[in-house]
Each structure stands twice: as structure tokens, then as C-alpha cells.
Amino acid sequence: MATTTTPTPETPSAVARKPASPGKQRLSRRRRREALSFYLFISPWMIGFLVFLLGPMIASIYYSLTDWDSFNPPKWVGFDNYVKLLTDDPVFWKALWNTFYYAAISVPLGLVLGLWLANLLNKQVRARKLFRTLIYLPTLIPLVATAMIFRMVLAPNGPINDFLGLFGLSGPNWLLDGPWVKPALILMSAWGAGAATVLLLAAMKGIPRELYEAAEVDGASATRQFWSITLPHLTPIIFFNLIMGLINAFQIFSQLYILIPKGKNPAGYDAAQTMVPLLFDQAFSYYRMGYASAISWLLFLVILVFTVIAFRTTRRWVFYETEVK
Amino acid sequence: MATLATPVRKRGHEDRPAEGQAPAVRAFHATPFTYGTLMIVAAVLTTPLVFVGSIALSSDATVNNGAFTIIPREFNWDNFSRVFSTELPVGTFLLNSVLISLFSVAGQVLSSGLVGYAFARLRAPGKNTMFLIVIATMMIPTQITMIPQFILFRDLGWVNTFLPLIVPNFFSNAFNVFLVRQFVSRLPSELDEAAMMDGLGFFGIYRRIMFPMLRPVLIAIGIFTLTHTWGDFMGPLIYLNDESKMPLALGVQYITATSQAGQAPPWNLVMVGSILLALPMIIVYYLGQKYLYEMDISGGSAGVK
């Protein structure tokens, strides 16, 4: 958000740089032409904003206050949809809980793994590029393909259960047994930890080496150097990843839809139900457009609250080098 | 987004000593333990990929028994040609994916470039407010507009066509506009000023001078849009019902969902489909890597400089 305010002062300076026009009349005509061009140029965004965003948002608020199957005229119900969701719909609360559960574990886990791997790669290892490529490769694979892969990996006689079998453990039926569905989704998200690794590794390379050399002179151990130098410098990027990760995790859909097909596996589907699949079902399976719209606004609210909390706490743990200077 | 800037910006002057030089700092010292851990991690992360290859190469009999091995034991390369035969419409899926992605990329590149340029260079009343709106819209989750957009496109009679997936891309996207604007702000303004002296209009300046200079950012936007559309699952799921219209991301799932009850889906062919889905993205990433890398720097730090 800070970026929105920082670049704007450029505009007046650009104005100042322009050669002054002799006549006021001419200037204003040129200015008018420039403004007209501006509105013309941004018209794709403007139209898109009105037709695909603002209009739909207003419509969505209205829908959420109605009972509507999208075919017959909508029936005004006031806040009934919200009241019902919050007080009289156990499935909604379950979906909300599952979404929190998934986000609260998968996002920090992905960051910790990503940080750990980045720190290993930041050492002077041979074949660093090869390791980095192998760690990053899973994140390039489209979600649908990843979900297909994990349907096989997590199958009752798949590699993971084979591996557990080596230790005499009989692995669960990950995608069918209610309690194991969420760990399965988290496991799958951990496969993509390489995305954070690459960003963090790039950031690590920017940390001034003198800091480490000074710490070395003071006799600090490698662990100590990590906690006192590396980690504080990475907090801005960790913070950025945390926010983006949470927003993404709250919107989990495709993985669930593919890993646990509703028709074939209702028990597993119910056990892992999250916000967006619930919304999708209400809207496109049962055509409860009003109810589904209300869910979408509650989802927005949840995401907003988490983002605000994250921003509020930044001062306590995010270290901005620029503030010190 | 400024949060991203501080560390990334420095990538230009990294002060790491040359490879092979004796590490003087303990934090950078690689022990056998480092190598051991990295090798185990790499092996664990790669296993699913090897397993996919193994399934893709297995025979139908193996699929029916479900007796897959991680290391491939059979090599039925003809599975890769079988998916294009009449058995499964993977060829059609692939073609649909290509069509939808190409038009979407063209739409984003054309519209975002123009809008981003206008926000960076042209002056008009209300511009700053409008740019604030652009930024604010990045925060709105797509689920909010999903239902009204569906109603809109259904009323237009666009359901079961590619239009709902393609057309919105011709109206730019906040993030891409932001990227272009930051990129243009860093270009020297002498060139377009000189062009204006020569009597070139604003559109002429954009088309003849700006557009060629925007190449890196537009390629990055193209890659972002391509990966997004190519992998998109929910959009096609909402709008496309006919098998013949589905893109590969939806088609792969469709094959597994429509297999007869009690019968295993043709996993070997599904995995071939998944490989066909993943491979282009891997290739595109490695070809476009340097542009994405450039964008990390300029997209992140332009606000700070």
C-alpha cells in the first residue's frame, strides 16, 4: 500500500520538467487534449472496472439480501441469509473451521520449510542451481496436475503409504478417511514450499556480507548468525509471503474439488469442506445465488480481518532497514 | 508491495564472494549434513514427478491392478500418442487451452500496456484517485464477483463458449496495470517529449516509442496471464459443459470424473494429460525466466527509487 503514495509525487515533478508554454490558452487546450487521451487510454480499465467489478459487487450485495435461484424473480429477505449462515448452518461453521485449520497450518509450514531450504541453499554448496531447480520445479506445475499427482501419491497403496510401511506403519486412506483429508491437503501444499524458497534466497543474497563477518569476529555460531542477521532481514519478505499465502489458502478450491470428488466420496468431501467449495456448491449445484453471495461477502470479511491483523502487527516483528537509516 | 522491495532491490549488488573461495563465515559453511539434507529433500520432492512418469508409461493391465511402481518398469510410450487418438479428446482439450490462453494473453498485453502507460505519463484530473481505485481492486477476492458475472454472461448467452474466459482479459487487470505503470515511471521521459515536439500524438508515442520499450514488462505480463489461464480450473468448470469445449486443465479432471462406476479411471492416460498440462508451463518459465526476474526488481522497487 505504501507504494500507492510514494510514486504519486512524481507527477508534479514531471509537470515542472515540461517546458512552459507561452500562452495560457494554448496550454489549456493541450492539457485538455492530454486529459482526453488519458480517459480514452484508460477506458479499457474503466469499462472493465464498472462492468466486471463495481457492477457485480453492487449486484452481489443485493443478491446476498435475497432468496434467488437465478431463474425466478428474487425475493427480498433482508439479512436472513447472513443470520442463517452464522446461527443456523453447521456446514458453514465447519467449512470456516476447516479453512482456518488449513490456512493456519499450511501457510506457516510452507514458510518455515521455504526458509529452511533457502538457508541451506544460501551456503556455499556445489550444484546449487540444480538443487534450486529441483526444489522450485513442483511450483511450476499447474494446480490441476498437482492434484492429479497427489491423488496417486496419496492412494492407499501409493508411495507415501509404502514408505510408512517400511517402518511397519499402515498408512491411512488419506483421501477417504475424514480426519486424514486435511493433513493430505497440507502435505500437498508443502510440496510447493519452493516458491517461498526462491524469493527468500534472492533476498538472502542481498544481506550485506559485512554483517556476517562482524558476527564471525565476535564468535557467533552459524545458528546465531541465522537468528540475529538472516532472519531479521527477511521479515519484510516473510510478511509479504504470509499475507499472500493466507489470502490464497482461504480461497482453496481446485485441490479439494479434484482430490476428493464429491460424487464418489461424500464423506471425505464433507470432512474437508472449505469456504469456496461450499460457495461453489450453493451457487452452481443448488442455485442458491443469494445464499452463495452472502458466503462470498463473509469470505471477503474473513480475508480482510486477517490482512488487517497482519498489517497491525508488522511493527512488532517486521524489520525495515530503511527505517533505521 | 513496498515490503517486497527492500531485500530484492539489492540483488543487483550482491557481495557474495566467487564460488570456490574458502568460506570465511560460518553461516555460509556447507557441511556434509547440508548436502545430505538437500539430497534427501530433492529426492522427496522429485519422487512424485518420477512416479507420474512411471504411471504415464504403464500398461492398461497395470492400471486395472493398481500395481504402480515409483521407478518405471514398463515403457508404453504409445500412451503419449494414444491420448491424441479418438479414445480421449486430449488433442481437442489442448487446442482449446491454446486458444483460450492466446486470446487472454493478447488481451492483457494490449490493454494493460495502454492503461499502464496512461497512468504513468498522461496528466488528467482525477488520475490519482483512479489509480488508488486500481490498487484497491487488487484486494477484492474473485469470489465476490463470480456469481454476478455468471449471471451477466448467462444473460448474454455466453455460457458454453470461450467468451467469459477471454473477454474480461481485454479490459486489463489491476496488477498488470500496476506493473506497467511502475515500469514506465522508470523510463526517461526525454524520448516521448522529443516525439511530442515532432508532433506525434499520444497514441503514436505509445505505439512507436513506448510499446517497443515495454517489451520486458509485457512479456512478464504475458507469462503471468498464460500460467493463470492455462491452469485455471474454476472458470472453465463454471462456464463450459461440452466436452469438446473444455481446456486441458478441466479435461484432465473430466476424464477421471466420467469413468464408469466401479472402474478405475485410465490413470496412465490421465497422467499423460497431466504431463502435457505441466510441460508447457515449465518450458515457458525457463524461457521467460530473465523477464520475470527483471519484473521482480522493477515491480518491487520502482516505488522506492
Side-chain angles (χ1 to χ4, degrees):
Chain A
M1 277 301 138
T3 35
T4 59
T5 45
T6 333
T8 26
E10 287 166 17
T11 327
S13 67
V15 177
R17 257 189 277 124
K18 293 261 172 188
S21 294
K24 219 177 177 181
Q25 192 68 39
R26 252 189 74 202
L27 179 91
S28 80
R29 185 152 31 98
R30 218 170 81 184
R31 273 295 186 80
R32 224 182 301 144
R33 200 168 65 94
E34 187 171 343
L36 208 67
S37 303
F38 173 78
Y39 297 126
L40 202 66
F41 282 20
I42 68 153
S43 61
W45 170 75
M46 195 48 132
I47 295 167
F49 170 67
L50 294 175
V51 175
F52 298 125
L53 198 76
L54 189 63
M57 276 176 78
I58 295 166
S60 173
I61 295 175
Y62 169 67
Y63 295 164
S64 77
L65 301 172
T66 65
D67 181 13
W68 190 38
D69 63 2
S70 88
F71 301 105
N72 299 304
K75 202 178 98 208
W76 180 266
V77 294
F79 286 97
D80 277 10
N81 286 329
Y82 293 96
V83 172
K84 191 175 172 221
L85 275 168
L86 294 172
T87 60
D88 194 25
D89 188 346
V91 181
F92 172 77
W93 283 102
K94 172 140 209 188
L96 190 63
W97 163 246
N98 284 342
T99 314
F100 279 140
Y101 182 118
Y102 173 75
I105 297 181
S106 73
V107 178
L109 181 71
L111 279 172
V112 170
L113 283 177
L115 186 62
W116 178 58
L117 293 176
N119 192 46
L120 288 180
L121 286 175
N122 196 35
K123 296 177 189 298
Q124 292 195 313
V125 282
R126 272 168 228 274
R128 180 196 286 136
K129 264 198 170 152
L130 175 71
F131 283 124
R132 200 185 61 184
T133 306
L134 289 178
I135 289 169
Y136 193 63
L137 199 58
T139 68
L140 293 174
I141 294 171
L143 214 48
V144 173
T146 309
M148 285 299 163
I149 294 169
F150 271 78
R151 251 176 100 166
M152 301 314 289
V153 170
L154 293 165
N157 53 355
I160 289 198
N161 282 358
D162 282 354
F163 177 74
L164 291 174
L166 292 179
F167 301 95
L169 299 165
S170 71
N173 194 341
W174 294 88
L175 302 176
L176 282 173
D177 290 352
W180 289 102
V181 172
K182 273 171 280 180
L185 289 170
I186 291 167
L187 203 67
M188 184 178 141
S189 79
W191 198 47
T197 301
V198 170
L199 277 176
L200 290 167
L201 185 62
M204 281 178 179
K205 287 186 179 169
I207 303 174
R209 199 183 158 86
E210 300 85 68
L211 294 176
Y212 291 100
E213 279 159 3
E216 189 69 35
V217 172
D218 291 346
S221 68
T223 323
R224 177 76 209 196
Q225 290 175 9
F226 172 79
W227 289 104
S228 303
I229 303 171
T230 315
L231 189 65
H233 275 90
L234 296 177
T235 43
I237 228 169
I238 292 175
F239 172 68
F240 175 78
N241 274 281
L242 181 71
I243 302 258
M244 298 318 265
L246 282 175
I247 291 176
N248 274 328
F250 279 124
Q251 300 184 40
I252 178 175
F253 173 77
S254 315
Q255 298 97 305
L256 211 72
Y257 193 93
I258 293 166
L259 279 175
I260 307 141
K262 192 185 174 195
K264 293 186 178 177
N265 180 7
Y269 190 80
D270 280 350
Q273 182 74 289
T274 58
M275 298 278 276
V276 179
L278 177 73
L279 190 166
F280 183 88
D281 272 351
Q282 291 293 331
F284 300 108
S285 305
Y286 309 124
Y287 289 93
R288 291 187 198 133
M289 296 298 180
Y291 204 58
S293 299
I295 297 175
S296 74
W297 282 101
L298 290 177
L299 174 70
F300 177 49
L301 207 69
V302 168
I303 291 177
L304 199 67
V305 166
F306 268 78
T307 317
V308 168
I309 292 175
F311 270 102
R312 275 283 167 85
T313 59
T314 48
R315 288 212 160 262
R316 279 195 221 142
W317 62 278
V318 177
F319 165 77
Y320 290 110
E321 203 184 356
T322 40
E323 275 174 14
V324 188
K325 279 176 186 167
Chain B
M1 232 130 283
T3 47
L4 182 75
T6 324
V8 180
R9 176 170 46 109
K10 292 207 193 109
R11 229 191 271 170
H13 52 88
E14 50 183 81
D15 28 23
R16 173 166 309 293
E19 295 276 339
Q21 196 180 318
V25 175
R26 261 173 280 183
F28 302 139
H29 189 73
T31 60
F33 179 74
T34 314
Y35 282 101
T37 319
L38 278 174
M39 273 185 243
I40 293 172
V41 167
V44 167
L45 290 179
T46 327
T47 306
L49 298 175
V50 179
F51 188 49
V52 169
S54 165
I55 298 173
L57 293 170
S58 55
S59 66
D60 290 354
T62 314
V63 172
N64 288 331
N65 300 332
F68 302 115
T69 51
I70 296 178
I71 309 293
R73 266 190 313 203
E74 339 166 74
F75 296 90
N76 296 287
W77 290 102
D78 63 317
N79 285 344
F80 280 82
S81 54
R82 272 174 65 200
V83 295
F84 291 104
S85 68
T86 46
E87 244 179 284
L88 290 163
V90 169
T92 316
F93 293 157
L94 210 54
L95 185 70
N96 292 339
S97 282
V98 170
L99 281 176
I100 297 171
S101 304
L102 280 186
F103 280 105
S104 302
V105 168
Q108 281 297 348
V109 167
L110 290 175
S111 60
S112 302
L114 199 62
V115 176
Y117 159 72
F119 271 117
R121 282 287 203 268
L122 304 186
R123 290 159 298 169
K127 181 172 101 165
N128 291 342
T129 319
M130 276 187 243
F131 193 65
L132 275 181
I133 297 176
V134 172
I135 301 293
T137 57
M138 286 197 227
M139 292 210 28
I140 314 281
T142 48
Q143 285 80 16
I144 296 275
T145 54
M146 192 169 82
I147 294 168
Q149 277 191 17
F150 171 76
I151 306 287
L152 171 72
F153 291 135
R154 195 189 61 186
D155 291 349
L156 288 170
W158 287 3
V159 168
N160 219 4
T161 69
F162 295 162
L163 293 173
L165 306 175
I166 292 172
V167 170
N169 286 305
F170 279 83
F171 297 92
S172 77
N173 145 311
F175 180 68
N176 293 343
V177 168
F178 178 77
L179 279 185
V180 176
R181 182 197 180 272
Q182 301 303 84
F183 189 87
V184 175
S185 308
R186 289 170 67 231
L187 294 175
S189 58
E190 282 78 23
L191 263 177
D192 32 327
E193 272 163 22
M196 205 181 306
M197 293 296 161
D198 292 345
L200 212 56
F202 290 108
F203 189 72
I205 294 175
Y206 176 71
R207 197 170 61 89
R208 301 233 193 116
I209 292 162
M210 275 297 156
F211 196 72
M213 286 204 288
L214 291 182
R215 218 171 81 106
V217 68
L218 293 181
I219 289 177
I221 286 175
I223 295 174
F224 293 146
T225 313
L226 179 65
T227 18
H228 180 257
T229 358
W230 187 270
D232 185 22
F233 178 71
M234 205 187 206
L237 184 66
I238 293 174
Y239 290 106
L240 302 173
N241 315 312
D242 276 3
E243 196 184 302
S244 64
K245 301 260 175 63
M246 291 177 180
L248 193 56
L250 180 58
V252 167
Q253 189 268 340
Y254 182 76
I255 299 172
T256 65
T258 51
S259 64
Q260 303 290 311
Q263 202 186 341
W267 282 118
N268 48 359
L269 303 183
V270 170
M271 287 303 143
V272 172
S274 300
I275 291 172
L276 291 175
L277 185 66
L279 216 53
M281 294 306 102
I282 295 171
I283 294 169
V284 163
Y285 174 80
Y286 280 101
L287 291 180
Q289 216 174 3
K290 65 172 182 167
Y291 298 103
L292 295 177
Y293 174 81
E294 246 174 89
M295 272 320 99
D296 257 357
I297 298 170
S298 61
S301 64
V304 182
K305 274 179 188 167

